């Protein structure tokens, strides 16, 4: 009896799937995904596209983007790649940012719940010209900082140096005159920016950096940590000092935003200027407002040259982002930071990161991981709105022999 019932059920269902790819082309398109059959897909209204599962189910990728193991295979091209760097053994206070990439992905699941359209920026980064992938994580050792930093550099460069999905044949701003994809890195503590800048330098030469943080991160190793060994001298408070010493930064266009830390003394600011940074204090928002902060950043950086953006989640006040390694009170709100990021839409972002997200210190409401994901949503939206990096064309020679 049971066998007969199953046969009848199979006979009733089979005509549905036998004809699923005939007729309406949208039905065929809807079946292209992790599941074979249209039964598992919903077609979203408007320009949102197709959605499988619910946003609270399935494997976590950033914003539920397609996943591809880009470090294991170069079979897929992309215009923007999300890449995790789970490293936190360069931190000075609370560890845990090695879980940042997975936490940020978890916090990003609802980003395209309603289709992903960014109203203030008038763009949809999930449904655009750009091929955007989550490329997984760099396999970083937690036992050898020097080797881990090398892994991060090579992993980042492996993705950065490939042909993009769009405009690969057109000239771009890289040293070789090519158009490259953009890489958005999920940290990890802020030490990861040194190997990332080494990777970026291989592709672009010295670059301008916008650094959102409550801390300077330009300290001399003997001031921050004492530098008892060469390996200990490289940490999340000294990486910009090393980047400047290695010639990875343009020395007249870099800027910090959100600074409010204590110092070892006024000489820390003098050293910061020597490294090549200008400072926007967090408290300036009370006097010059959001527009004033945006203007200071844009005036310093300019709108012509390639720019790298690094965001420490502790730019936000701990009330909005408690899950970070070195929290500092008196910071900006999530709304304020997102507004400032959107104000940078005319800059030429070639890459970005968000760091110091340590989910173990978060609330059950996932405040920090959601905030980090939302900030990157704004960054991704800016990149998509600007188009492929071919719009910058080939690099121009500078008087100081930089490219």
């Amino acid at each position: 009896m049971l066998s007969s019932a199953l046969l009848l059920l199979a006979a009733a269902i089979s005509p549905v799937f036998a004809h699923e790819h005939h007729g309406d082309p949208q039905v065929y398109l809807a079946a292209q995904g992790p599941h074979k059959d249209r039964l598992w897909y919903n077609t979203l209204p408007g320009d949102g596209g197709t959605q499988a599962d619910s946003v609270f189910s399935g494997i976590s990728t950033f914003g539920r983007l397609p996943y591809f193991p880009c470090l294991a295979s170069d079979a897929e091209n992309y215009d923007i790649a999300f890449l995790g760097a789970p490293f936190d053994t360069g931190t000075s206070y609370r560890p845990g940012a090695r879980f940042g990439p997975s936490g940020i992905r978890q916090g990003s699941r609802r980003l395209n719940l309603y289709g992903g359209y960014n109203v203030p920026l008038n763009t949809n980064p999930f449904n655009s010209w750009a091929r955007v992938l989550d490329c997984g994580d760099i396999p970083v050792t937690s036992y050898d900082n020097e080797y881990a930093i090398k892994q991060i550099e090579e992993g980042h460069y492996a993705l950065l140096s490939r042909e993009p999905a769009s405009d690969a044949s057109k000239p771009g701003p890289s040293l070789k005159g090519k158009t490259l994809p953009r890489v958005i890195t999920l940290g990890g503590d802020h030490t990861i920016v040194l190997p990332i800048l080494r990777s970026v330098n291989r592709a672009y030469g010295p670059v301008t950096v916008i650094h959102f943080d409550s801390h300077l991160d330009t300290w001399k190793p003997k001031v921050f940590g004492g530098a008892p060994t060469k390996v200990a001298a490289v940490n999340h408070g000294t990486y910009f000092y090393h980047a400047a010493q290695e010639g990875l930064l343009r020395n007249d266009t870099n800027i910090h935003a959100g600074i409010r830390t204590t110092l070892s003394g006024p000489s820390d600011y003098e050293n910061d200027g020597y490294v090549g940074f200008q400072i926007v204090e967090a408290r300036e928002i009370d006097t010059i407002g959001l527009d004033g902060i945006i203007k200071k950043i844009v005036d310093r950086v300019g709108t012509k040259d390639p720019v790298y953006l690094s965001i420490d989640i502790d730019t936000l006040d701990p009330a909005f982002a408690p899950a970070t390694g070195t929290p500092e009170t008196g910071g900006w709100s999530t709304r304020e930071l997102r507004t400032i990021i959107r104000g940078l839409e005319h800059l030429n972002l070639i890459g970005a990161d968000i760091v110091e997200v340590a989910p173990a210190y978060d609330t059950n409401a996932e405040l920090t991981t959601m905030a980090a994901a939302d900030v990157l949503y704004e960054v991704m939206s800016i990149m998509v709105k600007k188009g492929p990096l071919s719009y910058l064309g080939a690099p121009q020679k500078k008087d100081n022999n930089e490219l």
Side-chain angles (χ1 to χ4, degrees):
M1 291 293 291
L2 181 59
S3 298
S4 298
L6 290 174
L7 286 172
L8 287 172
L9 179 60
I13 293 175
S14 60
V16 176
F17 295 110
H19 296 90
E20 65 180 337
H21 296 323
H22 299 287
D24 186 357
Q26 288 301 116
V27 172
Y28 177 78
L29 290 174
Q32 305 308 299
H35 308 299
K36 286 195 280 188
D37 300 314
R38 66 178 181 177
L39 177 64
W40 311 117
Y41 285 82
N42 297 312
T43 300
L44 299 178
D47 62 359
T50 301
Q51 173 183 296
D53 306 320
S54 302
V55 294
F56 48 80
S57 64
I59 297 171
S60 292
T61 63
F62 186 86
R64 297 182 58 81
L65 289 166
Y67 165 73
F68 187 78
C70 305
L71 290 174
S73 170
D74 58 3
E76 289 281 345
N77 294 103
Y78 43 81
D79 298 299
I80 300 174
F82 283 86
L83 178 67
F87 171 93
D88 68 0
T89 47
T91 191
S92 58
Y93 190 47
R94 301 193 307 198
R98 68 182 65 185
F99 298 104
S102 60
I104 295 166
R105 291 184 175 104
Q106 176 70 18
S108 74
R109 296 164 72 91
R110 36 157 265 298
L111 281 177
N112 57 3
L113 175 61
Y114 306 109
Y117 186 79
N118 189 319
V119 175
L121 287 173
N122 192 29
T123 191
N124 190 333
F126 295 103
N127 186 19
S128 72
W129 61 269
R131 171 71 166 153
V132 188
L133 295 179
D134 189 323
C135 289
D137 291 352
I138 302 169
V140 180
T141 181
S142 58
Y143 305 110
D144 185 330
N145 280 14
E146 190 169 22
Y147 191 75
I149 287 171
K150 185 66 174 176
Q151 288 177 307
I152 295 168
E153 178 186 347
E154 294 302 326
H156 187 276
Y157 188 71
L159 269 60
L160 178 63
S161 58
R162 294 181 188 173
E163 287 189 350
S166 305
D167 288 4
S169 62
K170 294 183 178 180
S174 69
L175 291 176
K176 295 181 179 179
K178 295 182 178 181
T179 297
L180 299 177
R182 297 172 171 102
V183 179
I184 298 176
T185 309
L186 313 175
D189 78 51
H190 226 146
T191 312
I192 70 169
V193 172
L194 179 59
I196 289 173
L197 288 175
R198 287 170 177 169
S199 167
V200 170
N201 185 67
R202 289 161 68 176
Y204 290 98
V207 293
T208 294
V209 172
I210 302 173
H211 174 225
F212 284 89
D213 205 319
S214 62
H215 309 95
L216 297 173
D217 294 356
T218 55
W219 281 283
K220 295 178 179 179
K222 67 179 182 180
V223 174
F224 195 96
T229 66
K230 177 183 175 182
V231 174
V234 179
N235 56 61
H236 75 163
T238 64
Y239 61 92
F240 274 138
Y241 175 84
H242 293 285
Q245 294 294 307
E246 295 176 21
L248 309 181
L249 308 174
R250 289 176 59 90
N251 61 9
D252 58 350
T253 53
N254 307 303
I255 191 165
H256 305 294
I259 300 299
R260 60 189 185 277
T261 185
T262 58
L263 304 174
S264 70
S267 62
D268 288 351
Y269 272 9
E270 294 174 9
N271 175 68
D272 192 72
Y274 171 77
V275 171
F277 281 86
Q278 191 178 87
I279 297 172
V280 179
E281 300 272 2
R283 55 192 165 86
E284 291 183 56
I285 199 169
D286 298 323
T287 53
I288 64 175
L290 291 169
D291 290 341
I293 288 172
I294 293 168
K295 185 177 186 302
K296 288 187 75 169
I297 295 172
V298 175
D299 287 350
R300 172 69 170 177
V301 170
T303 57
K304 294 181 179 180
D305 295 319
V307 176
Y308 185 82
L309 175 62
S310 183
I311 305 168
D312 191 319
I313 198 63
D314 71 23
T315 308
L316 297 175
D317 190 276
F320 302 93
T324 188
T326 317
E328 303 283 356
T329 61
W332 293 334
S333 71
T334 308
R335 182 183 63 199
E336 290 164 347
L337 180 57
R338 294 181 68 176
T339 300
I340 293 168
I341 296 292
R342 288 195 295 266
L344 309 181
E345 65 173 302
H346 299 299
L347 304 187
N348 302 315
L349 299 184
I350 59 170
D353 64 69
I354 196 159
V355 298
E356 300 287 354
V357 175
Y361 311 109
D362 217 349
T363 71
N364 291 338
E366 301 177 330
L367 297 179
T368 311
T369 54
M370 284 195 299
D374 288 348
V375 169
L376 287 188
Y377 168 71
E378 305 292 356
V379 174
M380 179 171 62
S381 296
I382 290 173
M383 292 178 173
V384 167
K385 190 171 182 179
K386 288 290 283 188
L389 287 169
S390 57
Y391 76 87
L392 276 171
Q396 301 294 315
K397 278 281 188 180
K398 304 290 193 300
D399 292 337
N400 61 0
N401 295 320
E402 290 182 2
L403 282 176

